[in-house]
Amino acid sequence: MTDLDTTFDDAGPGDADAPMTRGEKREQTMCRIMEAAKKCFVHAGFQGASMQQICAAAEMSPGALYRYFPSKEAIIGAITEADRSQDAEIFRTMFENPNVVDGFVTAAMAHVRHMHESGNASLFTEIRAESMRNEAIDLTCQSAMGTVQQGFRDYLQGAIDRGEIEPCVELDAMLPMIIAIGEGLAINDLPSKGVPLDSIETLMRVTVEAMLRPRKRANANDN
């Protein structure tokens, strides 16, 4: 068996002792670097954190780390992509919900809980601040936000076409507002400030209903 062989005859799919493939080892190492970088960015800021500090936090030599990430911008790109995968799962459950208001509120609350439990509010704040002065970071953020915004657009336009909602303004004006609200919730981490989750959900539902103005369904027994 060569080093490139990824088949292990003696290891079942649930065998915790099965040796990792090269791809799995690479992914594990990249995650280790990203977690180290997150701590450095939060502690010293994007500008203040050096690649040498990230190497020390990850317990890796510069040569080893640079094989995975050539720059801090590349690390931010990987962190953003990982978050985009998490968001995709949240949005998948939203898209599958037949009630657009419930879908929106459920997705929003899942995002609030994720940001609170992951403790990433400070990191998200640092990335957004850096995006205002770093073109590479800004492009990464804009790409991620563009994907999210397009998903919202498709979801809401479908609800409009089906006659389920009648938004108070056109989508081009509403979508940036939705993104801004989402970023505000991510940055402020209200649960950490003592705001109960059920209160956040109530306020979110009132806000979403006011913006989307869902149309009341006719009672099937009414003629």
Side-chain angles (χ1 to χ4, degrees), residues 180-202:
I181 291 172
E183 289 193 337
L185 288 170
I187 289 171
N188 285 280
D189 187 13
L190 296 180
S192 71
K193 298 178 180 180
V195 182
L197 285 169
D198 57 352
S199 295
I200 297 173
E201 183 169 356
T202 296

Side-chain angles (χ1 to χ4, degrees), residues 118-196:
S118 66
N120 281 342
S122 296
L123 175 66
F124 183 79
T125 303
E126 180 61 33
I127 291 174
R128 291 300 287 129
E130 182 62 24
S131 72
M132 297 179 185
R133 53 183 176 258
N134 186 317
E135 185 176 357
I137 300 299
D138 184 51
L139 289 174
T140 297
C141 291
Q142 291 302 323
S143 175
M145 288 299 100
T147 300
V148 171
Q149 188 161 308
Q150 186 59 52
F152 283 154
R153 174 180 287 279
D154 294 343
Y155 185 56
L156 294 178
Q157 188 62 58
I160 292 171
D161 294 342
R162 294 189 299 271
E164 297 172 3
I165 59 174
E166 189 176 7
C168 57
V169 297
E170 65 277 11
L171 286 184
D172 285 341
M174 178 173 291
L175 290 170
M177 176 68 77
I178 290 173
I179 297 298
I181 291 172
E183 289 193 337
L185 288 170
I187 289 171
N188 285 280
D189 187 13
L190 296 180
S192 71
K193 298 178 180 180
V195 182

